[in-house]
Amino acid sequence: MTPVCPFAKSARPEDVSAKKHQKDSASGGSGSISPKCPFGYDSQTFKLGPLSCMICRALLFDCTRCVPCSHVFCKVCLSRFKDCPLCGADIEATEADTNLQSTVDQFIEGHARIKRSHVENTDKGEVGEKKTVIYEDVSLERGSFLVQQAMRAFRAQNVDSAKSRLIICADDIRDQISRMGNTAELCSQLGAVLGLLGDCCRAIGDSGSAIAYFEESIEFLAKLPAYDMEITHTLSVSLNKVGDLKYYDGDLQAARSYYDRSLNIRRDAIKDKTDVPSQTLDVAVSLAKVADVDRNLGNEVIAVEGFREGIKLLESLTLKSEETALEQRRASVLEFLNGQLPEK
């Protein structure tokens, strides 16, 4: 299943604003204003602007200036080069650009916090009366923007930058939860963002923090309805990731517990969605993980049963000719499972 932005399922702020504007115009009530970022940044389009690093293509983090050419990049990104990536000049030295970093931080702090304004007119019959403007924080646009920037940085291996943006995003959602309660939308968004933070910590070898983030992600995702395929997939993946970390740490019993929880969630999912091949593949992967731990714990008979169940599932799976990626994954998992069976 292809990962999606945790903010993608909701209506876009512009759509909500447009609908409200139409409604208000028809009723003669409040109007709305939809200003745009002067630098052109938003969550829906790809943009490289004056505050972007040209290497990771995300907003600058730990701004570092090349000497003598004065081009600026993220410190981590620039550390991989001996010559300026933009102009090719020799880098004789580097220096922190705290002023520019302060500007970037201020931009992030303010971006999308004031996105729309509602203009209320208490006396509709009086023309030109002074109107009250009420500004709102549009977290959907801001959250999408922060996740977009974090994923660009993560793909470029600038993990500290990615973590910084995701932490801001998580704090924003927590603030909304404190005011609005544990709504399904907010829990889904926070669970996904916490999972991304876990991935960042795992990438830099901080397994303790990774487990803490994945655990918190599981806590929020477990509050949501089980019928949503994307939520079910994200929850089971977070459980497997904790299981992987426990497995590599040598705690096999804990690893099996997390793998088994993930397997049960995936089993329940295919009961309701028997026509979704990706979920059947997920069950086979979970069966392989549980069986592998069982073998390492000395439960060979139970392990072989798990491997055989996974093989049976995949052999009975019918895929369409255009589902080449799923077929490749099915073949790969099936090869692994067959390789675990004892030789006859």
Side-chain angles (χ1 to χ4, degrees):
M1 184 174 294
T2 304
V4 297
C5 172
F7 299 88
K9 292 184 179 180
S10 304
R12 290 178 56 184
E14 292 84 349
D15 298 336
V16 177
S17 179
K19 290 177 182 177
K20 181 168 181 62
H21 178 72
Q22 293 170 359
K23 180 179 178 182
D24 292 337
S25 298
S27 62
S30 61
S32 64
I33 304 168
S34 184
K36 293 184 178 180
C37 170
F39 293 119
Y41 290 101
D42 64 64
S43 64
Q44 307 298 330
T45 58
F46 182 84
K47 173 71 178 180
L48 291 177
L51 305 181
S52 301
C53 171
M54 294 296 110
I55 301 173
C56 69
R57 304 191 295 180
L59 289 173
L60 288 159
F61 179 79
D62 204 359
C63 294
T64 302
R65 185 178 299 278
C66 298
V67 178
C69 68
S70 295
H71 288 125
V72 181
F73 308 91
C74 299
K75 183 177 180 178
V76 169
C77 297
L78 185 59
S79 66
R80 306 174 192 137
F81 295 86
K82 295 182 179 180
D83 302 325
C84 175
L86 271 182
C87 68
D90 291 339
I91 300 176
E92 298 177 5
T94 60
E95 56 186 26
D97 192 332
T98 54
N99 289 332
L100 181 55
Q101 188 60 56
S102 177
T103 300
V104 175
D105 293 342
Q106 290 175 12
F107 170 75
I108 293 173
E109 177 61 25
H111 182 75
R113 286 200 183 278
I114 300 177
K115 184 71 177 180
R116 302 191 304 263
S117 63
H118 302 298
V119 184
E120 296 182 350
N121 189 346
T122 57
D123 187 354
K124 299 175 185 177
E126 184 174 348
V127 179
E129 181 182 352
K130 186 175 180 180
K131 299 176 181 179
T132 302
V133 179
I134 302 173
Y135 292 100
E136 290 186 353
D137 179 351
V138 182
S139 59
L140 173 64
E141 170 69 18
R142 179 172 168 79
S144 299
F145 170 76
L146 288 168
V147 169
Q148 178 200 66
Q149 296 297 317
M151 295 312 297
R152 288 187 195 175
F154 185 81
R155 285 192 291 266
Q157 300 180 348
N158 192 344
V159 180
D160 287 338
S161 174
K163 280 183 62 181
S164 172
R165 310 316 181 206
L166 291 171
I167 287 171
I168 294 172
C169 186
D171 288 344
D172 282 352
I173 303 172
R174 286 194 180 97
D175 180 61
Q176 286 234 325
I177 288 176
S178 69
R179 290 185 282 110
M180 300 174 62
N182 289 324
T183 68
E185 181 183 358
L186 291 174
C187 287
S188 173
Q189 292 172 359
L190 184 55
V193 171
L194 290 169
L196 293 173
L197 276 165
D199 288 334
C200 288
C201 293
R202 189 171 65 161
I204 58 177
D206 185 358
S207 60
S209 296
I211 289 174
Y213 279 124
F214 287 135
E215 287 278 18
E216 193 177 359
S217 170
I218 292 165
E219 176 188 346
F220 280 97
L221 293 174
K223 297 176 182 178
L224 301 172
Y227 57 76
D228 189 304
M229 288 198 316
E230 187 64 41
I231 290 172
T232 299
H233 177 77
T234 305
L235 174 58
S236 63
V237 167
S238 289
L239 286 164
N240 275 341
K241 286 177 178 177
V242 178
D244 290 343
L245 290 168
K246 296 290 186 181
Y247 183 95
Y248 295 131
D249 197 40
D251 190 349
L252 297 182
Q253 290 290 356
R256 193 191 189 285
S257 174
Y258 282 98
Y259 289 152
D260 191 55
R261 287 173 63 187
S262 176
L263 173 59
N264 289 333
I265 288 171
R266 291 175 170 184
R267 282 190 194 276
D268 290 340
I270 62 171
K271 289 177 183 176
D272 300 325
K273 302 280 186 180
T274 57
D275 58 339
V276 183
S278 61
Q279 292 197 330
T280 302
L281 276 165
D282 283 346
V283 172
V285 170
S286 284
L287 284 167
K289 286 179 176 290
V290 173
D292 181 58
V293 176
D294 282 334
R295 171 169 284 170
N296 280 280
L297 289 171
N299 301 320
E300 181 65 19
V301 174
I302 297 175
V304 171
E305 288 177 357
F307 290 132
R308 290 191 187 281
E309 184 181 352
I311 292 169
K312 185 178 179 180
L313 262 181
L314 294 181
E315 287 180 341
S316 64
L317 183 62
T318 303
L319 297 174
K320 297 177 182 178
S321 58
E322 63 268 20
E323 295 176 316
T324 54
L326 285 177
E327 175 55 38
Q328 290 174 357
R329 185 182 173 210
R330 187 190 76 88
S332 175
V333 176
L334 190 56
E335 182 182 8
F336 171 80
L337 289 169
N338 281 314
Q340 304 309 306
L341 297 179
E343 295 182 4
K344 295 179 180 180

